[in-house]
């Protein structure tokens, strides 16, 4: 495994992490189009019309008809209409309905560290947002998607949902559009010219994809009939056309038609005029399968056990052997990419491969028919079990951040490995080990609540008094502390303590002491916490565990600082930094730097404290760790208030509202620090006055994530405020500004809704938010404000 984490991979992964966080958050991420989008002008216009009239639109149709591609294009075009983002939620690899809400949260980059159900977190996050969520591939969880969508739409009036599914969700207010196959020439109409034929959507797609295989390919008088018949045989299905075009590497269009015609004749045994499209697609996939070599077919079937995407090393480990030599996998993967069975995805650190869901299901059927499904699922689980163990072993060192990034890329496969372990008889202990090894994956990504769910499930299935159970108990207890579920954490630690004594495991006793100290701090018992942390430090030293030692020293430094023992707080904090530096570790070091900054601030060295917190924040931002970022912003706000920079303090407190709301638990795991937050807020409010304080807090709350980071690190606000000129920009979104203009014109809610082609309830929600943002209680005040905005704009133009 160590060969996977060499310097090249480390540097590439660090670049990827930096690139991934520089583009901002809370705006949505849609995949880039890697091939041209053909046709669909009528369907696009219809989907947009439906979205303007309904808050839930579902695109239905057979697999391969292009539902996802159409939805993505519409979503991309609609970005500007949704200031709070356009978000893609891919559900093709999800089979557990219990993880649906969590998956939506992940896609929205929402990390909740509370113990609340994921759906409650989603509702709170989206309640005042104007966003579009694209739920892709709902068919396998259609009822669950329907219930979740109904709840979100009822609670979040500014939300719209665009879904793709092979069947409608069936909820109230849903508008559906059956996505047809691409347009074909009229079979009974006049013969089209070659140029006109080439403009028919199905033919145009074939020509464009064929041109990628054979540069310069075009419809000519010589091949026009064959091209048209190929597209007609495939019923205009985009996936079928794309798969068929690949065959032009080896066949002429006429040869392609001959083989396509023969194959369908063999499989259908009936009239093609009444052939269901899904049978046509199945026949085409059968044909694609048959055109692969025997070993390519075998690899196709074996790769179907992966969820999401995979890399070459995973394919070699899981799919090699029993007919495929490990050294052959690369060439076979290349062959499947050439045949469009696998889709290549370029990442900064490595190439990954993805299989379309239709082809993955087909491969799984072939795998089961060959009697290999059980073997490959087990090998898949074992591979990701090893990956999780390797990540844990290399957690504390220079490759830590690349490992975090890698585990996030592999999350779908890790989830599949856990599901296999907890559903396959006799495998639960392995699953509990995987969930435990992934502790830092749960904490540093979007999956904390999911991680605790897997651990709870594994603990229920594995009651035996083993070392794995002991590790799982203290692992789960930390997640519970972060979720502020203190009683549950204490109960798990009590059992873990007894189990550690029974097993004679000092490493278990060390972690019990560490997390028990956290519980004591949460309960306000600082003295007990200090004693427990000191015990943890001693035990971790004795067992030679730098991870536990660094963490215990960080918490001990904060505890000494909290009770006013400055000298010990600094000494312990600096020791923690030294432990991290000795191993080239970054994440714990960032938290140690934060803890040291707290004490340095308490001692009055504001300049050094700000430098320490800025250093910590820079790392936590690069890792996209919202908890670390939140604590850093807290301390920077306290420092600003101590330096009498009260407006900066208030703005940072405003930005923090968004951070803590996204996490679900303010100062999660650091609740004892809340008194500093309260002191900062009271000082800023008193110095600025209530109105100015609230205005500054609102200004901070309006900052995007990236803008808040820029302000915290560089003391620079976006727009006019950055230069110190003029008034802050309008607090309203473009849509709210548009509605405010209509309010000023005297239109009623019903008239506004009709003008903008939105629901009346949506218009009412916008107006409520406008009144709230502006601090008004009447529509007349809004009209006066609009007039003032116009005068300001006119004055600027006159200058």
């Amino acid at each position: 495994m160590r060969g996977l984490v060499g310097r090249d991979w480390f540097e590439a992964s660090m670049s990827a992490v930096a690139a991934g966080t520089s583009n901002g958050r809370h705006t949505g991420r849609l995949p880039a189009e890697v091939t041209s989008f053909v046709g669909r002008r009528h369907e696009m216009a219809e989907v947009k019309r439906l979205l303007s009239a309904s808050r839930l639109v579902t695109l239905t149709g057979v697999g391969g008809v292009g539902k996802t591609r159409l939805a993505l294009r519409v979503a991309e075009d609609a970005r500007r209409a949704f200031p709070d983002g356009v978000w893609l939620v891919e559900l093709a690899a999800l089979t557990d309905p219990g993880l649906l809400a969590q998956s939506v949260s992940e896609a929205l980059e929402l990390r909740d560290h509370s113990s609340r159900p994921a759906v409650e977190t989603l509702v709170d996050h989206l309640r005042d947002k104007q966003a579009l969520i694209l739920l892709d591939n709902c068919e396998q969880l259609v009822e669950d998607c329907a219930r979740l969508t109904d709840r979100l739409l009822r609670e979040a009036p500014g939300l719209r949902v665009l879904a793709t599914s092979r069947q409608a969700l069936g909820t109230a207010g849903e508008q559906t559009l059956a996505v047809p196959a691409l347009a074909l020439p009229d079979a009974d109409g006049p013969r089209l010219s070659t140029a006109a034929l080439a403009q028919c959507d199905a033919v145009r797609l074939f020509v464009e994809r064929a041109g990628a295989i054979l540069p310069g390919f075009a419809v000519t008088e010589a091949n026009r009939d064959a091209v048209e018949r190929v597209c007609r045989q495939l019923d205009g299905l985009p996936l079928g056309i794309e798969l068929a075009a690949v065959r032009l590497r080896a066949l002429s269009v006429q040869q392609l038609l001959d083989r396509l015609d023969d194959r369908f004749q063999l499989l259908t045994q009936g009239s093609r005029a009444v052939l269901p499209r899904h049978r046509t697609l199945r026949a085409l996939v059968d044909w694609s399968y048959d055109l692969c070599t025997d070993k390519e077919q075998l690899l196709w079937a074996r790769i179907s056990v992966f969820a999401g995407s995979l890399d070459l090393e995973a394919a070699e480990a899981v799919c090699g052997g029993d007919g495929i030599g490990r050294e052959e996998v690369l060439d076979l993967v290349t062959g499947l990419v050439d045949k469009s069975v696998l889709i290549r995805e370029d990442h900064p650190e490595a190439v990954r491969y993805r299989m379309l869901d239709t082809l993955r299901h087909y491969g799984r059927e072939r795998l089961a028919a060959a009697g290999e499904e059980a073997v490959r699922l087990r090998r898949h689980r074992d591979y990701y079990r090893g990956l999780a163990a390797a990540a844990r072993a290399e957690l504390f060192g220079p490759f830590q951040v690349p490992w975090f990034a890698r585990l996030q890329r592999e999350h779908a496969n890790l989830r599949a490995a856990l599901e296999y372990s907890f559903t396959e008889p006799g495998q639960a202990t392995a699953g509990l080990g995987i969930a435990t090894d992934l502790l830092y994956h749960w904490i540093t990504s979007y999956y904390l609540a999911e991680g605790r769910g897997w651990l709870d499930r594994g603990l229920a299935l594995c009651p035996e008094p083993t070392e794995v159970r002991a590790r799982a108990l203290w692992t789960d207890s930390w997640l519970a502390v972060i979720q502020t579920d203190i009683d549950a954490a204490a109960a798990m630690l009590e059992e873990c303590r007894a189990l550690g004594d029974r097993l004679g495991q000092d490493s278990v006793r060390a972690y019990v002491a560490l997390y028990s100290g956290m519980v004591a701090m949460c309960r306000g018992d600082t003295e007990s916490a200090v004693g427990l942390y000191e015990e943890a430090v001693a035990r971790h030293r004795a067992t030679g565990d730098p991870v536990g030692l660094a963490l215990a020293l960080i918490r001990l430094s904060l505890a000494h600082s909290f009770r006013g023992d400055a000298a010990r707080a600094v000494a312990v904090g600096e020791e923690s930094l030294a432990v991290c530096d000795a191993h080239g570790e970054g994440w714990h070091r960032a938290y140690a730097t934060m803890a040291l900054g707290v004490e340095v601030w308490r001692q009055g060295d504001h300049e050094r404290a700000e430098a320490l917190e800025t250093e910590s924040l820079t790392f936590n931002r690069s890792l996209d760790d919202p908890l670390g970022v939140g604590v850093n912003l807290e301390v920077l706000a306290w420092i600003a208030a101590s330096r009498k920079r009260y407006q900066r303090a208030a703005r940072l407190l405003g930005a923090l509202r968004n951070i803590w709301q996204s996490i679900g638990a303010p100062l999660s795991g650091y609740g004892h620090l809340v008194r500093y937050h309260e002191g900062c807020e009271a000082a800023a409010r008193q110095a600025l006055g209530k109105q100015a304080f609230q205005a500054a807090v609102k200004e901070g709350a309006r900052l995007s994530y990236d803008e808040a980071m820029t302000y915290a690190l560089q003391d620079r606000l976006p727009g006019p405020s950055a230069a110190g000129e003029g008034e802050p920009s309008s607090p309203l979104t473009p849509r709210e500004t548009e509605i405010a203009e209509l309010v000023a014109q005297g239109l009623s809610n019903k008239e506004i809704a009709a003008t903008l082609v939105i629901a009346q309830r949506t218009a009412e929600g916008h107006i409520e938010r406008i009144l709230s943002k502006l601090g008004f209680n009447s529509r007349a005040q809004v009209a006066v404000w609009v007039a003032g905005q116009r005068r300001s704009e006119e004055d600027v133009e006159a200058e």
Side-chain angles (χ1 to χ4, degrees):
M1 298 299 295
R2 187 167 298 275
L4 299 177
V5 289
R7 178 58 52 183
D8 291 344
W9 179 53
F10 169 68
E11 292 176 352
S13 297
M14 289 297 288
S15 299
V17 170
T21 56
S22 66
N23 294 329
R25 295 173 62 201
H26 310 303
T27 58
R29 289 192 173 94
L30 299 178
E33 291 184 339
V34 295
T35 57
S36 59
F37 185 84
V38 174
R40 300 294 196 194
R41 283 183 296 177
H42 171 74
E43 289 88 347
M44 285 181 61
E46 182 64 9
V47 175
K48 292 175 182 178
R49 186 190 69 78
L50 292 174
L51 271 176
S52 70
S54 173
R55 295 174 55 220
L56 171 61
V57 175
T58 302
L59 307 184
T60 63
V62 68
V65 80
K67 302 183 294 294
T68 298
R69 193 69 188 273
L70 174 60
L72 285 170
R73 173 52 69 97
V74 171
E76 182 65 45
D77 287 354
R79 274 186 184 276
R80 292 205 291 180
F82 296 96
D84 293 307
V86 176
W87 305 91
L88 170 64
V89 184
E90 297 179 286
L91 302 177
L94 185 66
T95 57
D96 184 354
L99 294 174
L100 176 59
Q102 177 66 28
S103 297
V104 178
S105 294
E106 293 164 15
L108 269 62
E109 302 180 0
L110 178 61
R111 306 181 185 186
D112 182 55
H113 287 188
S114 73
S115 57
R116 298 180 303 166
V119 67
E120 300 299 332
T121 304
L122 270 175
V123 167
D124 286 349
H125 176 73
L126 292 169
R127 198 182 305 278
D128 61 349
K129 298 294 191 296
Q130 192 172 335
L132 173 66
I133 294 178
L134 199 172
L135 289 179
D136 189 34
N137 289 300
C138 298
E139 54 269 2
Q140 55 195 0
L141 296 171
V142 65
E143 294 182 2
D144 303 280
C145 288
R147 284 192 291 269
L148 177 63
T149 300
D150 182 65
R151 172 78 186 280
L152 294 179
L153 292 176
R154 281 190 285 108
E155 300 280 359
L159 176 68
R160 274 174 162 70
V161 175
L162 178 60
T164 73
S165 177
R166 297 190 187 185
Q167 65 183 96
L169 301 189
T171 64
E174 177 185 27
Q175 293 284 331
T176 63
L177 175 68
V179 179
L182 293 174
L184 291 160
D186 185 356
D188 298 322
R191 182 180 175 84
L192 299 177
S193 67
T194 302
L197 176 65
Q199 293 306 307
C200 291
D201 287 348
V203 175
R204 183 178 158 203
L205 177 64
F206 181 84
V207 170
E208 291 203 10
R209 299 301 183 260
I213 306 298
L214 302 172
F217 181 88
V219 178
T220 66
E221 285 298 329
N223 67 18
R224 55 162 292 149
D225 290 341
V227 168
E228 179 179 347
R229 288 181 61 193
V230 165
C231 295
R232 197 176 298 284
Q233 290 279 42
L234 298 173
D235 284 346
L237 284 173
L239 178 59
I241 290 171
E242 295 198 6
L243 288 172
V246 172
R247 305 307 163 201
L248 295 183
R249 283 194 175 96
L251 303 173
S252 69
V253 180
Q254 186 59 51
Q255 289 175 313
L256 173 66
L257 176 62
D258 293 341
R259 282 155 180 75
L260 188 66
D261 190 64
D262 291 342
R263 180 53 52 90
F264 283 156
Q265 189 73 27
L266 174 66
L267 292 177
T268 62
Q269 298 179 357
S271 170
R272 295 190 190 93
V274 295
L275 179 65
R277 287 197 175 98
H278 74 274
R279 293 270 314 272
T280 302
L281 181 61
R282 172 60 183 242
L284 179 70
V285 177
D286 280 335
W287 182 50
S288 273
Y289 182 81
D290 288 343
L291 287 176
C292 293
T293 66
D294 291 344
K295 289 188 176 182
E296 286 173 346
Q297 292 176 351
L298 190 56
L299 186 65
W300 177 346
R302 291 176 178 178
I303 282 178
S304 70
V305 300
F306 288 90
S309 63
L310 69 150
D311 59 21
L312 181 61
E313 192 230 351
E316 290 171 338
V318 175
C319 304
D322 299 325
I324 296 179
R326 189 183 183 99
E327 71 283 356
E328 295 179 285
V329 173
L330 173 58
D331 288 339
L332 295 175
V333 165
T334 303
L336 292 178
V337 171
D338 289 342
K339 295 176 173 67
S340 296
V341 175
L342 288 178
I343 299 170
R344 171 185 167 134
E345 295 181 343
D346 289 317
H347 295 264
E349 67 290 340
V351 172
R352 294 182 68 81
Y353 308 96
R354 181 181 298 274
M355 186 178 285
L356 291 174
D357 194 47
T358 300
L359 304 185
R360 184 171 63 84
H361 282 292
Y362 180 93
R364 184 63 71 86
E365 290 179 9
R366 291 285 184 168
L367 191 67
E372 278 202 23
E373 188 172 30
V375 171
R376 296 302 154 181
L377 285 171
R378 177 71 173 269
R379 287 184 64 167
H380 176 274
R381 193 283 311 276
D382 289 346
Y383 176 77
Y384 286 100
R385 181 184 186 182
L387 191 74
R392 175 173 174 263
E394 299 204 24
L395 166 71
F396 204 78
F399 305 123
Q400 176 190 71
V401 173
W403 268 115
F404 289 161
R406 184 174 185 190
L407 292 177
Q408 287 199 41
R409 290 192 301 272
E410 296 287 7
H411 182 70
N413 284 306
L414 293 167
R415 178 184 279 171
L418 285 163
E419 185 63 35
Y420 170 87
S421 298
F422 290 144
T423 54
E424 189 71 14
Q427 300 300 316
T429 300
L432 186 59
I434 296 172
T436 302
D437 286 340
L438 292 175
L439 167 61
Y440 283 81
H441 174 58
W442 307 134
I443 289 176
T444 61
S445 58
Y446 303 98
Y447 315 116
L448 189 139
E450 180 182 341
R452 189 172 175 201
W454 288 119
L455 285 161
D456 287 346
R457 185 173 172 183
L459 286 167
L461 292 170
C462 304
E464 299 82 8
T466 62
E467 182 183 353
V468 173
R469 180 173 178 83
R471 285 201 306 118
L473 283 166
W474 60 251
T475 298
D476 206 4
S477 74
W478 191 10
L479 302 189
V481 167
I482 295 173
Q483 292 184 320
T484 65
D485 192 357
I486 305 304
D487 290 342
M492 285 187 279
L493 289 168
E494 191 63 33
E495 180 188 347
C496 191
R497 179 181 291 107
L499 191 51
D501 291 340
R502 177 176 178 176
L503 296 171
Q505 292 279 342
D506 207 41
S507 61
V508 172
R509 297 187 185 105
Y511 279 104
V512 169
L514 169 59
Y515 297 123
S516 295
M518 294 184 189
V519 168
M521 285 300 291
C522 290
R523 289 175 168 171
D525 188 355
T526 307
E527 294 305 314
S528 294
V530 168
L532 288 163
Y533 288 148
E534 288 176 340
E535 177 190 347
V537 167
R539 290 188 183 277
H540 283 304
R541 282 196 213 280
T543 60
D545 181 357
V547 183
L549 177 59
L551 188 54
L553 288 168
I554 292 168
R555 293 291 178 159
L556 182 58
S557 175
L558 286 168
H560 280 316
S561 175
F562 190 72
R563 69 175 185 172
D565 192 339
R568 288 189 180 182
V570 171
V572 170
E574 290 179 342
E575 183 182 358
S576 181
L577 287 176
V579 172
C580 295
D581 288 342
H583 291 80
E585 199 275 349
W587 189 72
H588 290 87
R589 190 185 195 285
Y591 278 80
T593 305
M594 174 275 294
L596 193 58
V598 172
E599 178 53 37
V600 171
W601 161 70
R602 288 186 67 259
Q603 293 179 24
D605 189 348
H606 301 147
E607 185 173 348
R608 186 185 174 211
E610 188 167 41
L612 288 167
E613 295 304 324
T614 298
E615 178 187 344
S616 177
L617 175 60
T618 300
F619 182 89
N620 285 327
R621 182 194 185 189
S622 74
L623 188 58
D624 202 13
D625 173 10
L627 177 57
V629 164
V631 179
N632 292 141
L633 290 187
E634 282 280 1
V635 186
L636 287 171
W638 310 340
I639 294 169
S642 297
R643 302 177 82 169
K644 303 188 185 308
R645 298 189 62 196
Y646 297 111
Q647 190 170 50
R648 172 173 166 82
R651 285 171 178 157
L652 289 173
L653 292 175
L656 273 164
R657 288 185 179 181
N658 296 331
I659 299 288
W660 294 137
Q661 182 183 20
S662 71
I663 291 176
L667 279 166
S668 179
Y670 298 89
H672 64 285
L673 299 177
V674 72
R675 73 180 187 185
Y676 299 139
H677 175 100
E678 293 170 348
C680 170
E681 185 174 324
R685 181 182 283 108
Q686 182 176 0
L688 295 173
K690 181 179 179 180
Q691 188 172 359
F693 172 77
Q694 290 179 341
V697 169
K698 286 183 178 179
E699 189 174 9
R702 287 196 298 269
L703 297 174
S704 70
Y705 183 82
D706 269 0
E707 289 169 347
M709 295 302 97
T710 299
Y711 182 59
L713 293 168
Q714 302 175 19
D715 201 18
R716 180 166 55 84
L717 285 169
S721 297
E725 301 175 359
E727 296 298 318
S729 59
S730 168
L732 304 185
T733 66
R735 176 62 110 182
E736 289 166 348
T737 300
E738 184 179 17
I739 291 176
E741 292 276 359
L742 297 176
V743 169
Q745 294 173 25
L747 272 66
S748 67
N749 292 348
K750 184 176 182 180
E751 290 168 332
I752 291 172
T755 300
L756 299 178
V757 199
I758 59 176
Q760 183 172 334
R761 183 180 173 187
T762 300
E764 292 167 353
H766 281 304
I767 292 168
E768 288 175 6
R769 286 193 290 277
I770 291 169
L771 293 171
S772 175
K773 285 184 176 182
L774 298 178
F776 298 156
N777 53 29
S778 74
R779 298 165 77 95
Q781 289 174 298
V782 175
V784 172
W785 179 84
V786 169
Q789 289 288 104
R790 290 174 183 158
R791 286 194 296 273
S792 296
E793 292 172 1
E794 290 168 358
D795 290 342
V796 170
E797 290 174 359
E799 294 173 1

